[in-house]
Amino acid sequence: MRAAGETISFAVLGSIRVVRAGVELRLGARQERLVLALLLARAGSPVSLNELVDLLWDSDAPVSAANVVHRHVGALRRLFEPGLPTRSAGRYLHRDVSGYRLLADERSLDLLEFRALSRRAGQSLRDGDPESALRHSLDGLRLWRGRCAAGLEPASRSHPTFLAVEGERAEAVRQAADAAERCGRLGAVLVPLRQAAEQHPLDESLQSRLLLALAAAGRQAEAVETYRVVRRRLADELGVDPGEELREAYDRLLHQRTGPARTAETPPLPRPAQLPPDLPFFSGRDELIAQARAAVARPGGPTVLAIDGMPGIGKTALAVHLAHEFAAHYPDGQLYVDLRGYDGRDAAMSPAEALRGFLGSLGVPQHGIPAELHALAGMYRSSLAGRRLLIVLDNCRDAEQIRHLLPGDPGCLVIVTSRSRLSTLLTAAGAHPLPVGLPSLDEARTALLGPLGADAVTADPAAIDAIIASCGRLPLALAVVAARAASLPGTPPARIAAELAHSPGSLDGFDGGDPQTGLRAVFSWSYRALSAPAARLFRLLALHPGPDISIAAAAGLAGVELRNARTLIGELSRAHLVSEESPGRYRVHDLLLAYAGELGEEYDSPAECAAAELRCLQFYRATCYQAHRRLLTSEDHPMIEPGAGETPLRFADHGEAMRWFTAERQVLIALVGRAARQGRHTDAWQLALGMQHFFDRSGRWADWTTTGEVALEAARAGGDLVGQARMHRSLAGAAYFRGEQETAIGHLDRALELLARLGLHGELTRAGINRAMILQALGRHEEVVGALRAALGPARAAGDDKLLADVLVILAGSNAELGREDEAMRCAEQAMALSRAARYRLGVAEAWEVRGRVYSLRGDTGRTIDCWRAAAVAYQEASASAPAAEVLALLGDALATVGDQEAAVRAWQEALALIPYPQSRTGRRLAGLLAAVTSGPRRITDGDGTRSALRRQSIRVDRP
């Protein structure tokens, strides 16, 4: 089937799949997949609406059931044909009078292709051509990847439509067995017969054919035991004896009238045993091994295990270990080949070369091996038909290299390893992915036990952990270090750790004795396979200062368009030179980063590196400006500039801006330091100031302080008085929140002095209000009221309702402390009205909080709780987790005073979860309260808790 020039195909013989233009589509939730599965299993026949409703709801279908089905159908239509107009039927899902039907043909639906092949097989058998019949039958059976609609149990195992399709499969196996017997090739159908007989244990016609196939393959003892098991099962479950067909097959077995006609006089087939030895000290990888075991043991499970991971991660070791474990289940032998997909010495092995080697191992004489690739693949698959072999395809370059090496028979198991992510193999061959990551710290310790000895590992655990840290837990690096230690018996682990620590960020300690197996060589094989632009980006990643990078930042670093950066990062990811640790964030292993740095020194000039660093800085400064503007409480007063760079990023709201700052926090802090060291003084302080609102709302006071101090020194070094004034004011805010009010006053007084000298009157007014907030924290409330009453007139005259709301909230707090509760409430209510009118979420939250404080002083705990609940919600809506945590702590205190300890604990727990530094003053208080609650049934109160409400106002540079 075709739509808009794109091929689309469907599969239901196994888990349901939809592939468009070679890419498997991601299907929706279970109900949507069930609807599609039934439509596919009906293969073009109508499915009534009632049938679909009954499928989705066994009983008690909701009133909206029909609408739900229609929505699922609509979603499927848009999935198949993106951009399809609403309510348009599209090409594939048509509405009939009785329901829906899916339009497909044997080229686009595996069930219809299977039926066509079965028909051809039946016709060939009737025409007296069992060879063609067997070929068509096996081609049809190879389309099955598991049970019909696998993964949608229990419906797939109980619904009549799915069971009927399974019945067709059983009949096709019977037909294949009949054709195989007539042409003397019963061994070719042994595997599908086994599978069908396991699925239909009481089907005597299948069991009888299985007996004959086992005997023809020379497995008489297994055939006899199979008959005994079936006979006992018939008696136990049905209370009957075997029927005539099964008894006749058993009689033929006993009288040896089952031998394969074509192989009676041929010597037994060779049984290759090519697996490399298992590592003597293999350990760990328990989760991956368990996944592989479960996948292989599952009926109708995958026949391919695809292992991928970064260079040196231990892919081959895992593959060989799994192969040795599974070998006993594949009695016809094991094949192994190193495909040299990533090899510094030889070119990658061609599929034809690999096939010629395999065919020779399978007993095909050299003069009988064809030269053409497709003929080789056909002979290879024919040689494997009816046999159970385990095949390891190691060091594969890509899926195309192994496409012809995959058996056509489901009785074999293939284990593939690659540095590339073999996505095509997952969709085309139903491979089960086994992505290999870094081992855990405990697994890394265990890996060193064998080579170094238990005594050395346990004698100095700190040194062992230091070695592991220097190796970045990379198995190859651990193996190189362990081998070097083993060659120098008696070398203490502390000495090895010291040598590695002597050259951090270098690969000098990981070359080993063989230059071909050192880390540089192993890494180079992946690097050489990259395109030139991807290789350049890989080198430049060493210049990025953070632990991970986004695609947008990679674009800025490399100076390319966003779409190009996405392509390049994708190439690096597929090669496992970067890994996506969290959505959209890519990390490079420390040792790979060291390798990238070495390459950069070799291939990129100092000028090119400096230009990349500047592009990186400019991207972050421009993006920081965009995020900073989203967090301003007053958009008219940004205190920073975007700089000379550009950014493709824009932020729809403060939530997006906060998430960006959270993801890039470590990068931005590092860039402030780098800019200061490089003499880019303005960049340093403007980046730091751009982060202030993030630090404020998230409660990262320590980061705020350290980053601000670096930025202040940069402004001083550059002789930038504006930068100094603004950084002094910013650092006053950080000190304020840390409770260091004298330090805050010192910074703010210096800021006031500089602002006055510079004539920045708007900022001078805002700094004056900030000073009043610090005085409030010091308990000097009369001074606060006097100072801010004088500021009310200018604020009203300026028409800045957000500023006016801020002033009124501070006044409310100090009036409350002075016992002027009515005045405090009037100020709070005016602040609330102004904030709501200005859509100033932070102001609304602060007004709720101070109203709660007034009610608390009046002894009205019920209203106090209501106000603080509303404040917590409003703070979180404003992405201000730090003040939200503090007000939740107050809420918990208030709930505890009225005896609702359960609700109090919930509030305290929620508050603690929002605090980035558990060792902060509030964090320690909450941890103590929660510990007291869990230690015994006692009522918890904290009379001093509400005092922190008056220390909540932020010193924000965008406020007047």
Side-chain angles (χ1 to χ4, degrees):
M1 304 290 289
R2 292 182 179 272
E6 293 183 335
T7 60
I8 188 164
S9 60
F10 306 91
V12 72
L13 304 182
S15 58
I16 59 170
R17 292 178 178 173
V18 182
V19 176
R20 186 181 65 235
V23 178
E24 184 172 355
L25 303 183
R26 185 171 182 176
L27 301 176
R30 175 182 172 82
Q31 283 196 339
E32 185 175 311
R33 287 182 285 125
L34 276 170
V35 170
L36 176 58
L38 188 55
L39 289 164
L40 292 174
R42 288 290 178 81
S45 298
V47 181
S48 72
L49 186 60
N50 287 338
E51 285 180 285
L52 290 169
V53 169
D54 290 341
L55 175 67
L56 301 187
W57 296 276
D58 291 336
S59 59
D60 299 326
V63 176
S64 61
N67 288 332
V68 172
V69 171
H70 295 322
R71 283 199 299 272
H72 287 319
V73 171
L76 288 169
R77 285 170 170 163
R78 290 187 293 276
L79 177 69
F80 301 161
E81 299 176 83
L84 189 69
T86 304
R87 300 188 180 278
S88 176
R91 295 170 178 261
Y92 302 105
L93 284 177
H94 281 209
R95 180 75 184 269
D96 284 347
V97 175
S98 58
Y100 291 97
R101 63 189 179 95
L102 185 140
L103 300 185
D105 56 30
E106 64 183 67
R107 295 174 300 169
S108 60
L109 175 58
D110 59 357
L111 175 56
L112 290 177
E113 183 181 0
F114 165 75
R115 288 173 176 170
L117 288 166
S118 296
R119 287 194 299 271
R120 290 173 204 152
Q123 186 61 49
S124 296
L125 204 55
R126 290 189 293 273
D127 293 342
D129 185 1
E131 288 280 2
S132 295
L134 179 59
R135 185 174 68 255
H136 292 317
S137 292
L138 291 177
D139 286 345
L141 291 170
R142 288 188 188 104
L143 296 173
W144 287 79
R145 299 167 287 103
R147 291 185 65 94
C148 179
L152 293 174
E153 294 78 9
S156 63
R157 293 179 179 268
S158 59
H159 194 279
T161 298
F162 302 134
L163 294 178
V165 175
E166 288 291 338
E168 292 181 54
R169 180 188 191 183
E171 180 56 32
V173 172
R174 295 187 195 96
Q175 182 172 263
D178 293 342
E181 184 177 13
R182 286 174 58 176
C183 60
R185 293 179 56 198
L186 271 169
V189 295
L190 181 55
V191 171
L193 264 174
R194 281 184 191 275
Q195 293 173 339
E198 288 174 4
Q199 193 168 333
H200 304 276
L202 300 177
D203 187 320
E204 294 186 50
S205 65
L206 286 172
Q207 301 295 341
S208 64
R209 287 167 172 79
L210 177 59
L211 294 186
L212 298 177
L214 287 168
R219 300 177 181 179
Q220 283 83 0
E222 185 179 351
V224 170
E225 179 59 24
T226 298
Y227 176 80
R228 290 173 180 167
V229 170
V230 174
R231 182 179 62 186
R232 187 164 53 250
R233 186 181 290 126
L234 289 169
D236 293 343
E237 297 186 29
L238 301 180
V240 298
D241 293 324
E244 181 179 352
E245 185 179 9
L246 186 55
R247 291 198 310 272
E248 180 183 351
Y250 184 59
D251 184 69
R252 291 176 62 185
L253 166 66
L254 295 178
H255 293 86
Q256 299 184 2
R257 290 186 281 114
T258 60
R262 294 192 174 187
T263 60
E265 298 179 1
T266 58
L269 294 172
R271 183 183 180 279
Q274 300 180 345
L275 291 182
D278 198 1
L279 286 180
F281 301 118
F282 184 90
S283 63
R285 304 303 190 191
D286 295 339
E287 184 176 343
L288 288 172
I289 292 170
Q291 287 180 31
R293 288 171 181 162
V296 171
R298 190 169 64 245
T303 57
V304 181
L305 300 177
I307 299 173
D308 64 74
M310 68 175 285
I313 201 68
K315 301 178 292 295
T316 297
L318 175 61
V320 171
H321 184 76
L322 288 173
H324 278 282
E325 177 172 326
F326 295 148
H329 301 288
Y330 297 88
D332 295 321
Q334 311 96 42
L335 296 171
Y336 172 89
V337 64
D338 177 0
L339 293 168
R340 303 193 303 266
Y342 296 88
D343 192 300
R345 294 161 290 190
D346 300 307
M349 183 181 291
S350 69
E353 182 183 351
L355 286 169
R356 282 192 289 271
F358 279 170
L359 286 169
S361 301
L362 292 170
V364 179
Q366 290 299 314
H367 62 79
I369 297 177
E372 197 268 335
L373 177 59
H374 288 282
L376 283 165
M379 179 175 284
Y380 168 67
R381 289 178 176 133
S382 297
S383 300
L384 295 178
R387 305 182 69 185
R388 289 177 63 79
L389 276 86
L390 189 150
I391 304 160
V392 178
L393 306 177
D394 193 19
N395 196 8
C396 156
R397 183 66 166 259
D398 51 35
E400 182 60 28
Q401 189 184 20
I402 63 170
R403 181 165 61 92
H404 295 288
L405 306 182
L406 300 179
D409 199 295
C412 298
L413 176 66
V414 180
I415 302 177
V416 184
T417 75
S418 180
R419 298 185 183 190
S420 297
R421 190 173 295 110
L422 302 174
S423 303
T424 304
L425 198 62
L426 307 187
T427 55
H432 180 83
L434 292 173
V436 184
L438 292 171
S440 67
L441 182 58
D442 285 340
E443 287 178 324
R445 291 186 186 120
T446 304
L448 292 176
L449 275 175
L452 298 184
D455 292 342
V457 172
T458 56
D460 194 348
I464 294 297
D465 287 353
I467 291 171
I468 292 169
S470 294
C471 294
R473 305 202 315 273
L474 187 67
L476 178 59
L478 290 167
V480 170
V481 171
R484 190 174 67 186
S487 68
L488 299 170
T491 304
R495 179 177 172 183
I496 300 171
E499 290 177 0
L500 294 174
H502 184 68
S503 53
S506 168
L507 300 182
D508 291 342
F510 303 103
D511 275 343
D514 182 358
Q516 291 297 328
T517 59
L519 285 192
R520 286 188 178 91
V522 172
F523 289 168
S524 72
W525 304 337
S526 291
Y527 173 75
R528 291 173 189 170
L530 296 173
S531 66
R536 173 177 174 267
L537 176 57
F538 176 67
R539 299 193 303 271
L540 293 180
L541 289 176
L543 303 176
H544 185 264
D548 54 14
I549 191 170
S550 67
I551 291 175
L557 177 68
V560 299
E561 295 292 329
L562 189 63
R563 62 178 180 274
N564 294 338
R566 185 174 290 109
T567 300
L568 298 179
I569 286 288
E571 182 177 348
L572 294 177
S573 178
R574 288 190 296 275
H576 287 286
L577 293 175
V578 301
S579 58
E580 191 173 11
E581 298 291 309
S582 59
R585 306 292 304 180
Y586 295 85
R587 182 181 293 267
V588 187
H589 188 276
D590 290 345
L591 295 177
L592 276 171
L593 206 59
Y595 179 64
E598 291 182 359
L599 291 171
E601 291 177 2
E602 181 178 355
Y603 292 107
D604 300 323
S605 69
E608 289 173 316
C609 293
E613 287 190 348
L614 180 58
R615 287 193 302 269
C616 179
L617 177 63
Q618 289 175 339
F619 161 80
Y620 276 104
R621 184 171 165 190
T623 312
C624 182
Y625 174 80
Q626 296 296 333
H628 166 78
R629 283 190 64 89
R630 275 296 169 194
L631 298 184
L632 292 178
T633 56
S634 174
E635 294 189 2
D636 297 330
H637 305 289
M639 296 292 107
I640 63 172
E641 298 171 352
E646 295 181 358
T647 176
L649 300 183
R650 296 294 185 271
F651 304 98
D653 53 35
H654 51 247
E656 282 190 8
M658 286 294 289
R659 286 189 289 275
W660 183 82
F661 274 122
T662 300
E664 300 287 3
R665 176 179 63 89
Q666 295 182 68
V667 180
L668 291 165
I669 291 172
L671 281 172
V672 170
R674 178 192 282 181
R677 291 190 300 273
Q678 293 179 344
R680 299 185 181 281
H681 306 302
T682 301
D683 290 316
W685 74 257
Q686 293 231 348
L687 262 181
L689 200 58
M691 285 187 280
Q692 175 181 302
H693 295 287
F694 163 69
F695 291 144
D696 175 0
R697 296 190 188 199
S698 63
R700 295 186 176 276
W701 322 133
D703 284 348
W704 187 352
T705 301
T706 55
T707 307
E709 287 172 347
V710 171
L712 177 59
E713 287 305 313
R716 284 173 175 159
D720 189 332
L721 295 182
V722 173
Q724 292 177 51
R726 290 174 180 171
M727 289 315 306
H728 273 299
R729 187 169 166 222
S730 178
L731 283 167
Y736 168 82
F737 282 114
R738 293 197 319 273
E740 300 172 4
Q741 307 308 335
E742 294 301 330
T743 300
I745 283 287
H747 278 298
L748 202 53
D749 285 346
R750 179 59 178 154
L752 288 165
E753 176 189 336
L754 288 169
L755 291 169
R757 189 195 311 177
L758 293 165
L760 298 174
H761 301 295
E763 291 182 55
L764 192 64
T765 300
R766 293 174 175 81
I769 295 171
N770 296 154
R771 196 174 192 281
M773 293 157 58
I774 297 172
L775 294 177
Q776 184 183 74
L778 291 170
R780 293 156 63 176
H781 298 292
E782 288 290 4
E783 293 179 59
V784 172
V785 171
L788 293 187
R789 277 180 178 161
L792 283 174
R796 287 193 174 97
D800 191 335
D801 288 346
K802 293 178 181 179
L803 169 64
L804 190 54
D806 289 338
V807 172
L808 287 166
V809 163
I810 302 168
L811 277 171
S814 284
N815 276 312
E817 283 297 299
L818 293 169
R820 302 165 187 163
E821 294 164 13
D822 291 342
E823 179 63 20
M825 187 60 75
R826 278 194 296 273
C827 290
E829 288 173 349
Q830 289 177 42
M832 177 72 77
L834 289 166
S835 297
R836 283 175 169 166
R839 297 182 179 179
Y840 177 24
R841 294 182 181 179
L842 208 57
V844 169
E846 291 168 341
W848 276 120
E849 183 179 353
V850 77
R851 285 180 70 179
R853 172 59 180 156
V854 175
Y855 283 125
S856 175
L857 292 173
R858 288 177 174 176
D860 191 340
T861 308
R863 289 187 177 181
T864 299
I865 289 171
D866 291 341
C867 288
W868 284 343
R869 276 189 174 135
V873 171
Y875 277 130
Q876 293 188 73
E877 287 177 348
S879 300
S881 57
E886 291 200 21
V887 82
L888 281 166
L890 298 175
L891 175 61
D893 298 343
L895 289 165
T897 63
V898 295
D900 193 347
Q901 185 161 299
E902 185 177 341
V905 168
R906 284 197 302 271
W908 289 331
Q909 288 173 335
E910 188 177 350
L912 192 58
L914 292 172
I915 295 174
Y917 304 115
Q919 294 307 312
S920 66
R921 183 175 61 252
T922 302
R924 289 195 302 271
R925 186 176 78 83
L926 289 170
L929 289 170
L930 291 168
V933 170
T934 56
S935 65
R938 31 186 281 211
R939 186 177 177 185
I940 304 298
T941 59
D942 183 358
D944 295 330
T946 55
R947 290 286 175 182
S948 62
L950 298 180
R951 296 194 295 273
R952 283 280 330 109
Q953 284 296 315
S954 156
I955 299 182
R956 297 182 175 88
V957 296
D958 59 290
R959 289 188 177 177

